[in-house]
C-alpha cells in the first residue's frame, strides 16, 4: 500500500496461521520428509488484492500499475522478482 505503482502479477497465497497449522500437522502426523508447497490452493493477482483492499475499506486510494513487467524492471526493481503459482496437491495428498 506504500508503493506509488504496483506490478500486476499472479502468485500463490498463504495465510500465516494456516501455514503454521499445516506444517505442525505434518510433523505430528509423521508425514514423509520431502518438499511440500504449503500454500492455499489457487492463485491471486495483484488487482484482486487491490480490489479486496478497496472493498474492505482498508484503503480507498486509486492504485496505479506499471504498463509491463519490463517497465517495472527498468524503472523500479532493485533485484529480479519471482512470481509463481505453486502446486499444493502433494501436501493435500499427504493429509
Amino acid at each position: 500500500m506504500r508503493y506509488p505503482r504496483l506490478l500486476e502479477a499472479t502468485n500463490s497465497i498463504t495465510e500465516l496461521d494456516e501455514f503454521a497449522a499445516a506444517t505442525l500437522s505434518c510433523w505430528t502426523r509423521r508425514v514423509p520428509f520431502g518438499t511440500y508447497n504449503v500454500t492455499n490452493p489457487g492463485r491471486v493477482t495483484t488487482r484482486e488484492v487491490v480490489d479486496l483492499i478497496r472493498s474492505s475499506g482498508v484503503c480507498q486510494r486509486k492504485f496505479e500499475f506499471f504498463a509491463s513487467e519490463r517497465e517495472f524492471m527498468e524503472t523500479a526493481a532493485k533485484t529480479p522478482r519471482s512470481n509463481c503459482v505453486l502446486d499444493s496437491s502433494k501436501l493435500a495428498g499427504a493429509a
Side-chain angles (χ1 to χ4, degrees):
M1 290 191 336
R2 299 177 306 202
Y3 298 112
R5 289 195 296 171
L6 304 174
L7 173 65
E8 176 61 46
T10 302
N11 285 291
S12 296
I13 191 165
T14 303
E15 198 278 323
L16 189 56
D17 290 336
E18 292 174 358
F19 172 87
T23 306
L24 182 58
S25 177
C26 286
W27 177 256
T28 58
R29 294 178 47 236
R30 307 275 193 259
V31 169
F33 289 121
T35 302
Y36 295 85
N37 295 323
V38 186
T39 66
N40 293 85
R43 63 194 67 175
V44 66
T45 67
T46 308
R47 289 187 194 274
E48 290 171 326
V49 172
V50 165
D51 290 344
L52 288 169
I53 288 170
R54 291 179 56 97
S55 67
S56 68
V58 171
C59 177
Q60 291 304 314
R61 185 178 121 209
K62 182 180 184 313
F63 291 88
E64 295 181 23
F65 289 84
F66 288 95
S68 67
E69 188 166 349
R70 181 178 180 178
E71 179 192 11
F72 170 77
M73 293 303 294
E74 290 174 353
T75 63
K78 292 185 169 85
T79 60
R81 295 186 42 83
S82 173
N83 299 303
C84 58
V85 176
L86 300 174
D87 179 359
S88 59
S89 62
K90 181 179 175 184
L91 178 65

